[in-house]
Amino acid sequence: MGKQLGRIRLLCHEELGLILAQLTDPGDRITFSQVCKEWFQLEALHRSSLRLLRHQFLRQVLPRFPNLLTFQTSEHITDPDLEFIAQTCPQLETIDLTTSGHKPFCLLGFGLVELANRCPKLSKVLLKRRRSITDHVIVSFIKFAPNLVHLDLGGCYSISDRALKAIGCCGSLRYLDLESCGFTDRGLGFLANGSCSKTLKTLILAWCKGITDVGVSRLQKMQCLEHLSLCNSSRHKITDIGGLEISAIKTLRTLNLAALAKLSNRTVAALAENCPNLEVLDVSECRLLTGAGIRAFRGHVCLETIVLHRLHQVHASDLEHLVLGCPALKSIFVHGEESLSEILPLMQERTRRFVRMDLVGFGEALVNSHSFIILLLLPSSPPSDLVGAVTGERKKKRKRRRRKRKKKKKRKKKKKKKKKKKRKKKKKKKKRKRRRRRRRRRRRRKRKKKKKKKKKKKKKKKKKKKKRKRKRKRKRKRKRKRKRRRRRKMRNRKMKRKKKKKNKNNRCVSQI
C-alpha cells in the first residue's frame, strides 16, 4: 500500500505499475511519464516494446529500458550493437531486424549468437533481407536458441542446405519464412525429416528457384503444416507430381500455388478431394487450369476464398458451379477479361444466391488495378425473391443517395456561413491592424520630429561652444604675443644701456 503524508496518500510503485498496464495508448504513456522524474523512470521500467528509427541513438536510449520484450529497427545495425542489446535487455523475446535490402551489409552474425546466448527467452527473430547472414551464423545461432518459435529469413540469398539441416533440429519452430533463399531439395529433406516437422505450421518457400518435385514430395511428412506458399518458386520444375504429393497434407488451410505454370486440373482435383480443411487457395497464373478443375471444388465444405487471376479458360458457368456447390465460399478473385456487364446477368439468372460484384485489388500485386473482379457472396434467397431483393436494394441505394445529397447541401451551407463569418472577422482584423499601423506610424513620426529637434539644438549648442573655445584660444594667443614683444623690447633696451656704459668707460680709460 502507498504511504500517507498528512492528508495526502502517495501511490507505491506496484500501484503505479498496475495503472500503467491499463494505458495502451502510447500518447497516454508519454503524458504519464511527463508528470515527474519518478514516473518517467517508472514508465521506462515498464516499457515492453521499442522501435528504433536511428541507430546513432541506440547506446543512449536502450539503457533506459532494461525490461524490453520486443525490439524493432530497420536501420543498419552492427554485431557490437547486438551484443549491447543482449547485455542491456536480457528478457528480450522478439527482435525484428527487417530491412528494405538497400542498407549496407554491416551485420556479420556473431552478434546474433551472443544475443541468443544471453537472452534465453528469445522466441521470435525476423532477419528479412539481411543478406550478410550466412549458414555458419544460423547453425551457431540455433544451438543457443532452444525456444525459437518464429524465424524469418526471407531475402537472405546465402542461406543453403547446411542452414536448413540445423533448422530442422529445432523442435519448437512453428513459423519459417525462406523466401528467395538458395537451398535445394536436399534442404527440404532435412526439414521434413527433422524434429521441426512435428511442430511447423507455416512454411513460405516463395521465389525459391532450387526446388523441384522431389523436394516438394518430401513435405508430406510434415504432420502439422497449415499454411504453405510455393508462389513463383521454380515455375517449370514443379509439376503435377509435386502437386499430388502436396495434396496428401490433410492439415492444410491456406495454399499458394501462384505462377506454377505446369500445374493442371489433376492437382486441383486432388486438393479438392484430399484437403478437407482448405480455406484459401491461390492458383493464379496456372494457365493449364480449366473450368473442369475449378468445378472439382463443388461440394467442398471449408473453402472460403479462391484466387483465379489470369485464368483465361475459366468462364462464368464455372463460377456458377462454385457458388452453388461451396456453402462457405465468401469471395472469388477473377481476372477482368469478361466484363461486369457480361458476368453479372449470368450469375443472377442461374444461381440461387444473390451475388454482388465490385472492382477491387487483391494483395500487393493487385493494388491500384481495376481489371480484377471480386464476387462477394451474400446469404441465400429463393429465385422468386431475387428481383424483389434487387429492386429493394436499389430503392435503399436511392434513399441513401438522397440523404447523402441533403447532408452535402447542409454541409455546403454551413461551410458558406462559416466562410462568411471568417471573412467578416478577417476584414475586422485587417481594419484593426490598419488602424494600429496608422497610430504606430504617427507615433513614429512624432518621435522622429522630436529627435530631429533635439539633434538640431545639440548641434547649435556644440557650434556655440566651439566658437567660444576658438575665441578664447585667439585671445590667449594674442596675449602671449604681446607679452613676448614686451619682453623683447625690454631685453633690447637693457642691451643698449649696457653697451652705452661700456663705451663710456672705454673713453674714460683712453683719456687717462
Side-chain angles (χ1 to χ4, degrees):
M1 296 295 289
K3 296 180 181 179
Q4 196 167 0
L5 292 173
R7 294 181 181 178
I8 302 170
R9 187 173 172 278
L10 300 178
L11 294 172
C12 65
H13 289 287
E14 293 176 356
E15 292 171 340
L16 287 171
L18 291 171
I19 293 168
L20 257 176
Q22 299 297 322
L23 297 177
T24 55
D25 187 16
D28 295 338
R29 294 181 73 92
I30 289 168
T31 52
F32 180 91
S33 66
Q34 290 174 351
V35 172
C36 62
K37 288 182 179 179
E38 187 178 357
W39 288 24
F40 182 75
Q41 294 173 359
L42 192 70
E43 192 273 332
L45 290 172
H46 284 79
R47 178 74 70 88
S48 61
S49 63
L50 178 68
R51 184 183 178 189
L52 191 70
L53 299 177
R54 292 188 179 179
H55 67 280
Q56 297 93 340
F57 305 119
L58 176 68
R59 296 180 182 272
Q60 301 171 9
V61 172
L62 206 62
R64 189 174 154 243
F65 310 106
N67 299 323
L68 279 181
L69 299 178
T70 65
F71 177 78
Q72 182 182 1
T73 183
S74 60
E75 295 292 312
H76 73 273
I77 194 165
T78 60
D79 294 297
D81 293 337
L82 285 178
E83 289 181 357
F84 180 73
I85 292 167
Q87 289 174 3
T88 52
C89 306
Q91 297 179 9
L92 202 67
E93 292 180 4
T94 68
I95 184 164
D96 186 358
L97 302 178
T98 303
T99 183
S100 61
H102 302 292
K103 308 288 181 184
F105 301 158
C106 52
L107 183 65
L108 298 176
F110 62 85
L112 277 172
V113 180
E114 188 68 22
L115 189 75
N117 191 12
R118 295 200 177 188
C119 301
K121 295 182 180 180
L122 193 67
S123 60
K124 188 175 180 180
V125 179
L126 290 90
L127 302 170
K128 207 172 189 76
R129 299 184 193 91
R130 294 283 177 179
R131 298 174 186 173
S132 57
I133 301 296
T134 58
D135 294 336
H136 177 69
V137 173
I138 296 299
V139 170
S140 51
F141 169 72
I142 285 171
K143 286 179 183 178
F144 294 101
N147 299 321
L148 191 64
V149 175
H150 186 112
L151 181 60
D152 189 347
L153 297 172
C156 299
Y157 301 139
S158 54
I159 297 297
S160 64
D161 298 334
R162 186 187 169 194
L164 291 191
K165 187 177 181 180
I167 293 168
C169 299
C170 188
S172 60
L173 197 65
R174 292 183 182 177
Y175 181 97
L176 181 60
D177 187 352
L178 298 171
E179 182 182 344
S180 302
C181 291
F183 58 89
T184 61
D185 296 332
R186 190 184 172 195
L188 285 179
F190 290 137
L191 285 179
N193 296 320
S195 57
C196 74
S197 62
K198 298 176 183 178
T199 58
L200 197 65
K201 290 188 176 181
T202 304
L203 181 61
I204 297 171
L205 304 173
W207 297 94
C208 296
K209 297 180 180 179
I211 302 173
T212 62
D213 288 330
V214 178
V216 171
S217 63
R218 291 171 182 171
L219 296 177
Q220 63 179 341
K221 295 179 182 179
M222 293 187 174
Q223 301 170 4
C224 301
L225 195 63
E226 294 179 0
H227 308 281
L228 178 62
S229 176
L230 292 167
C231 173
N232 281 291
S233 55
S234 301
R235 288 191 172 195
H236 301 285
K237 294 179 183 178
I238 297 175
T239 61
D240 287 331
I241 298 166
L244 292 171
E245 297 292 337
I246 289 168
S247 65
I249 307 170
K250 294 184 179 181
T251 55
L252 278 177
R253 294 176 65 187
T254 64
L255 181 60
N256 189 347
L257 301 174
L260 298 181
K262 289 197 173 182
L263 290 183
S264 66
N265 295 332
R266 286 178 64 196
T267 25
V268 178
L271 288 169
E273 288 179 8
N274 301 327
C275 299
N277 300 322
L278 195 64
E279 295 176 0
V280 181
L281 178 64
D282 187 354
V283 286
S284 54
E285 296 187 28
C286 297
R287 297 180 183 178
L288 295 178
L289 286 179
T290 61
I294 300 303
R295 291 187 184 195
F297 274 97
R298 181 168 182 165
H300 199 282
V301 182
C302 295
L303 190 67
E304 293 180 0
T305 64
I306 185 167
V307 186
L308 307 174
H309 166 47
R310 289 186 182 174
L311 295 183
H312 304 293
Q313 299 180 28
V314 178
H315 304 289
S317 59
D318 306 320
L319 301 179
E320 178 189 359
H321 278 274
L322 267 181
V323 172
L324 288 170
C326 299
L329 195 63
K330 292 179 181 177
S331 58
I332 306 172
F333 290 85
V334 187
H335 189 256
E337 196 160 305
E338 293 180 0
S339 62
L340 280 172
S341 59
E342 294 176 1
I343 292 178
L344 189 60
L346 291 170
M347 297 296 287
Q348 286 183 355
E349 286 171 9
R350 298 178 186 175
T351 57
R352 292 185 180 180
R353 293 183 175 195
F354 179 74
V355 180
R356 189 173 76 243
M357 295 175 151
D358 295 317
L359 289 170
V360 296
F362 180 71
E364 295 179 358
L366 310 185
V367 173
N368 298 325
S369 175
H370 297 287
S371 62
F372 303 96
I373 304 166
I374 179 171
L375 311 180
L376 303 172
L377 308 180
L378 301 176
S380 59
S381 60
S384 59
D385 298 337
L386 186 60
V387 179
V390 174
T391 53
E393 280 204 354
R394 286 176 182 172
K395 287 179 181 179
K396 287 179 182 179
K397 283 182 179 179
R398 287 173 187 171
K399 286 181 181 179
R400 287 172 190 168
R401 286 173 186 171
R402 287 173 188 171
R403 287 174 188 171
K404 285 181 180 179
R405 286 172 188 171
K406 288 180 181 179
K407 287 181 180 179
K408 282 183 180 179
K409 286 180 181 179
K410 288 181 181 179
R411 287 172 187 170
K412 284 181 180 179
K413 286 181 181 179
K414 286 181 181 179
K415 283 181 180 179
K416 284 181 180 179
K417 287 181 181 179
K418 286 181 180 179
K419 284 181 180 179
K420 284 182 181 179
K421 287 182 180 179
K422 284 181 180 179
R423 285 173 187 172
K424 287 181 181 179
K425 286 181 180 179
K426 283 182 179 179
K427 285 181 181 179
K428 287 181 181 179
K429 284 182 180 179
K430 284 181 179 179
K431 285 181 181 179
R432 288 173 187 171
K433 284 181 180 179
R434 287 173 186 171
R435 288 173 187 172
R436 287 174 186 171
R437 285 174 186 171
R438 288 172 186 171
R439 288 173 187 171
R440 287 172 186 170
R441 286 173 186 171
R442 288 172 188 171
R443 289 172 186 171
R444 285 174 187 170
R445 287 172 187 171
K446 286 181 181 180
R447 288 172 188 168
K448 284 181 180 179
K449 285 181 181 178
K450 286 181 180 179
K451 284 181 180 180
K452 283 182 180 179
K453 285 181 181 179
K454 285 182 180 179
K455 283 182 180 180
K456 285 181 181 179
K457 286 181 181 179
K458 285 182 179 179
K459 282 182 180 179
K460 284 181 181 179
K461 285 181 179 179
K462 283 182 180 180
K463 284 182 180 179
K464 286 181 181 179
K465 283 182 180 180
K466 284 181 180 180
K467 283 182 181 179
R468 288 173 188 171
K469 283 181 180 180
R470 285 174 187 172
K471 285 181 181 179
R472 287 173 187 172
K473 281 183 180 180
R474 286 174 187 171
K475 284 181 180 180
R476 285 173 187 169
K477 282 182 180 180
R478 287 172 187 171
K479 283 181 181 180
R480 286 172 188 169
K481 284 181 181 180
R482 286 173 189 171
K483 284 181 180 180
R484 286 173 186 169
R485 286 175 187 173
R486 285 175 188 173
R487 285 173 186 171
R488 284 175 188 170
K489 285 179 181 180
M490 292 296 289
R491 284 175 190 170
N492 291 331
R493 285 177 186 175
K494 284 180 180 180
M495 291 296 289
K496 284 179 180 180
R497 285 174 187 172
K498 283 180 181 180
K499 282 182 181 180
K500 283 180 181 181
K501 282 181 181 181
K502 281 182 181 181
N503 290 329
K504 281 181 181 181
N505 291 325
N506 290 330
R507 284 176 188 174
C508 291
V509 172
S510 61
Q511 286 177 3
I512 294 167

